[in-house]
PDB file of all heavy atoms in Angstrom:
ATOM      1  N   PHE A 587     -85.192-141.539 175.466  1.00 80.00           N
ATOM      2  CA  PHE A 587     -83.742-141.704 175.397  1.00 80.00           C
ATOM      3  C   PHE A 587     -83.190-142.543 176.547  1.00 80.00           C
ATOM      4  O   PHE A 587     -81.974-142.725 176.650  1.00 80.00           O
ATOM      5  CB  PHE A 587     -83.056-140.332 175.423  1.00 80.00           C
ATOM      6  CG  PHE A 587     -83.330-139.500 174.197  1.00 80.00           C
ATOM      7  CD1 PHE A 587     -83.381-138.117 174.277  1.00 80.00           C
ATOM      8  CD2 PHE A 587     -83.539-140.097 172.973  1.00 80.00           C
ATOM      9  CE1 PHE A 587     -83.634-137.344 173.160  1.00 80.00           C
ATOM     10  CE2 PHE A 587     -83.803-139.328 171.844  1.00 80.00           C
ATOM     11  CZ  PHE A 587     -83.843-137.945 171.930  1.00 80.00           C
ATOM     12  N   GLY A 588     -84.072-143.006 177.421  1.00 74.00           N
ATOM     13  CA  GLY A 588     -83.623-143.712 178.622  1.00 74.00           C
ATOM     14  C   GLY A 588     -82.796-144.938 178.329  1.00 74.00           C
ATOM     15  O   GLY A 588     -81.813-145.225 179.030  1.00 74.00           O
ATOM     16  N   SER A 590     -80.988-145.547 175.578  1.00 76.00           N
ATOM     17  CA  SER A 590     -79.820-145.321 174.715  1.00 76.00           C
ATOM     18  C   SER A 590     -78.833-144.311 175.279  1.00 76.00           C
ATOM     19  O   SER A 590     -77.740-144.146 174.732  1.00 76.00           O
ATOM     20  CB  SER A 590     -80.281-144.831 173.335  1.00 76.00           C
ATOM     21  OG  SER A 590     -81.023-143.632 173.460  1.00 76.00           O
ATOM     22  N   PHE A 591     -79.182-143.626 176.364  1.00 75.00           N
ATOM     23  CA  PHE A 591     -78.304-142.598 176.915  1.00 75.00           C
ATOM     24  C   PHE A 591     -77.780-143.043 178.262  1.00 75.00           C
ATOM     25  O   PHE A 591     -78.549-143.433 179.152  1.00 75.00           O
ATOM     26  CB  PHE A 591     -79.078-141.281 177.066  1.00 75.00           C
ATOM     27  CG  PHE A 591     -78.237-140.131 177.565  1.00 75.00           C
ATOM     28  CD1 PHE A 591     -77.644-139.245 176.682  1.00 75.00           C
ATOM     29  CD2 PHE A 591     -78.023-139.935 178.928  1.00 75.00           C
ATOM     30  CE1 PHE A 591     -76.876-138.181 177.142  1.00 75.00           C
ATOM     31  CE2 PHE A 591     -77.253-138.888 179.395  1.00 75.00           C
ATOM     32  CZ  PHE A 591     -76.682-138.002 178.504  1.00 75.00           C
ATOM     33  N   ARG A 592     -76.508-142.989 178.425  1.00 74.00           N
ATOM     34  CA  ARG A 592     -75.887-143.254 179.731  1.00 74.00           C
ATOM     35  C   ARG A 592     -74.573-142.478 179.765  1.00 74.00           C
ATOM     36  O   ARG A 592     -73.691-142.687 178.932  1.00 74.00           O
ATOM     37  CB  ARG A 592     -75.623-144.751 179.896  1.00 74.00           C
ATOM     38  CG  ARG A 592     -75.114-145.146 181.270  1.00 74.00           C
ATOM     39  CD  ARG A 592     -76.157-144.977 182.353  1.00 74.00           C
ATOM     40  NE  ARG A 592     -77.319-145.830 182.123  1.00 74.00           N
ATOM     41  CZ  ARG A 592     -78.331-145.948 182.981  1.00 74.00           C
ATOM     42  NH1 ARG A 592     -78.311-145.246 184.112  1.00 74.00           N
ATOM     43  NH2 ARG A 592     -79.354-146.708 182.691  1.00 74.00           N
ATOM     44  N   MET A 593     -74.428-141.559 180.693  1.00 73.00           N
ATOM     45  CA  MET A 593     -73.248-140.700 180.749  1.00 73.00           C
ATOM     46  C   MET A 593     -72.480-141.001 182.025  1.00 73.00           C
ATOM     47  O   MET A 593     -72.945-140.713 183.127  1.00 73.00           O
ATOM     48  CB  MET A 593     -73.661-139.230 180.724  1.00 73.00           C
ATOM     49  CG  MET A 593     -72.503-138.271 180.515  1.00 73.00           C
ATOM     50  SD  MET A 593     -73.080-136.597 180.199  1.00 73.00           S
ATOM     51  CE  MET A 593     -71.527-135.815 179.790  1.00 73.00           C
ATOM     52  N   GLY A 594     -71.275-141.576 181.864  1.00 68.00           N
ATOM     53  CA  GLY A 594     -70.473-141.928 183.033  1.00 68.00           C
ATOM     54  C   GLY A 594     -69.932-143.332 182.903  1.00 68.00           C
ATOM     55  O   GLY A 594     -70.226-144.060 181.946  1.00 68.00           O
ATOM     56  N   SER A 595     -69.112-143.718 183.851  1.00 67.00           N
ATOM     57  CA  SER A 595     -68.492-145.049 183.810  1.00 67.00           C
ATOM     58  C   SER A 595     -69.495-146.110 184.213  1.00 67.00           C
ATOM     59  O   SER A 595     -70.475-145.846 184.919  1.00 67.00           O
ATOM     60  CB  SER A 595     -67.275-145.079 184.741  1.00 67.00           C
ATOM     61  OG  SER A 595     -67.693-144.904 186.079  1.00 67.00           O
ATOM     62  N   GLY A 599     -72.505-146.575 187.225  1.00 68.00           N
ATOM     63  CA  GLY A 599     -73.833-146.603 186.620  1.00 68.00           C
ATOM     64  C   GLY A 599     -74.076-145.432 185.696  1.00 68.00           C
ATOM     65  O   GLY A 599     -74.813-145.534 184.721  1.00 68.00           O
ATOM     66  N   GLY A 600     -73.454-144.293 185.987  1.00 75.00           N
ATOM     67  CA  GLY A 600     -73.620-143.121 185.129  1.00 75.00           C
ATOM     68  C   GLY A 600     -74.985-142.473 185.268  1.00 75.00           C
ATOM     69  O   GLY A 600     -75.887-142.969 185.945  1.00 75.00           O
ATOM     70  N   LEU A 601     -75.116-141.316 184.610  1.00 81.00           N
ATOM     71  CA  LEU A 601     -76.384-140.577 184.668  1.00 81.00           C
ATOM     72  C   LEU A 601     -77.355-141.099 183.629  1.00 81.00           C
ATOM     73  O   LEU A 601     -76.977-141.361 182.479  1.00 81.00           O
ATOM     74  CB  LEU A 601     -76.137-139.089 184.398  1.00 81.00           C
ATOM     75  CG  LEU A 601     -75.519-138.234 185.500  1.00 81.00           C
ATOM     76  CD1 LEU A 601     -75.494-136.785 185.054  1.00 81.00           C
ATOM     77  CD2 LEU A 601     -76.276-138.359 186.806  1.00 81.00           C
ATOM     78  N   THR A 602     -78.608-141.234 184.007  1.00 84.00           N
ATOM     79  CA  THR A 602     -79.658-141.520 183.040  1.00 84.00           C
ATOM     80  C   THR A 602     -80.069-140.213 182.368  1.00 84.00           C
ATOM     81  O   THR A 602     -79.687-139.121 182.806  1.00 84.00           O
ATOM     82  CB  THR A 602     -80.870-142.148 183.734  1.00 84.00           C
ATOM     83  OG1 THR A 602     -81.430-141.169 184.638  1.00 84.00           O
ATOM     84  CG2 THR A 602     -80.477-143.382 184.518  1.00 84.00           C
ATOM     85  N   TYR A 603     -80.858-140.338 181.310  1.00 86.00           N
ATOM     86  CA  TYR A 603     -81.277-139.111 180.632  1.00 86.00           C
ATOM     87  C   TYR A 603     -82.235-138.313 181.496  1.00 86.00           C
ATOM     88  O   TYR A 603     -82.271-137.086 181.406  1.00 86.00           O
ATOM     89  CB  TYR A 603     -81.920-139.424 179.280  1.00 86.00           C
ATOM     90  CG  TYR A 603     -81.985-138.187 178.416  1.00 86.00           C
ATOM     91  CD1 TYR A 603     -80.832-137.678 177.835  1.00 86.00           C
ATOM     92  CD2 TYR A 603     -83.171-137.514 178.221  1.00 86.00           C
ATOM     93  CE1 TYR A 603     -80.859-136.536 177.072  1.00 86.00           C
ATOM     94  CE2 TYR A 603     -83.218-136.361 177.455  1.00 86.00           C
ATOM     95  CZ  TYR A 603     -82.059-135.876 176.882  1.00 86.00           C
ATOM     96  OH  TYR A 603     -82.092-134.724 176.146  1.00 86.00           O
ATOM     97  N   GLU A 605     -81.880-137.835 184.641  1.00 86.00           N
ATOM     98  CA  GLU A 605     -81.021-137.041 185.525  1.00 86.00           C
ATOM     99  C   GLU A 605     -80.270-135.964 184.750  1.00 86.00           C
ATOM    100  O   GLU A 605     -80.106-134.846 185.241  1.00 86.00           O
ATOM    101  CB  GLU A 605     -80.043-137.982 186.251  1.00 86.00           C
ATOM    102  CG  GLU A 605     -80.731-138.945 187.213  1.00 86.00           C
ATOM    103  CD  GLU A 605     -79.827-140.085 187.640  1.00 86.00           C
ATOM    104  OE1 GLU A 605     -78.984-140.528 186.822  1.00 86.00           O
ATOM    105  OE2 GLU A 605     -79.956-140.548 188.781  1.00 86.00           O
ATOM    106  N   LYS A 772     -71.790-140.740 190.321  1.00 77.00           N
ATOM    107  CA  LYS A 772     -72.517-140.999 189.078  1.00 77.00           C
ATOM    108  C   LYS A 772     -72.444-139.810 188.126  1.00 77.00           C
ATOM    109  O   LYS A 772     -72.392-139.958 186.910  1.00 77.00           O
ATOM    110  CB  LYS A 772     -73.986-141.312 189.387  1.00 77.00           C
ATOM    111  CG  LYS A 772     -74.225-142.673 189.989  1.00 77.00           C
ATOM    112  CD  LYS A 772     -75.687-142.852 190.374  1.00 77.00           C
ATOM    113  CE  LYS A 772     -76.591-142.706 189.188  1.00 77.00           C
ATOM    114  NZ  LYS A 772     -78.010-142.895 189.559  1.00 77.00           N
TER     115      LYS A 772
END
Side-chain angles (χ1 to χ4, degrees):
F587 293 149
S590 59
F591 183 95
R592 186 68 62 175
M593 191 170 187
S595 65
L601 284 185
T602 65
Y603 196 73
E605 294 165 327
K772 286 175 59 179

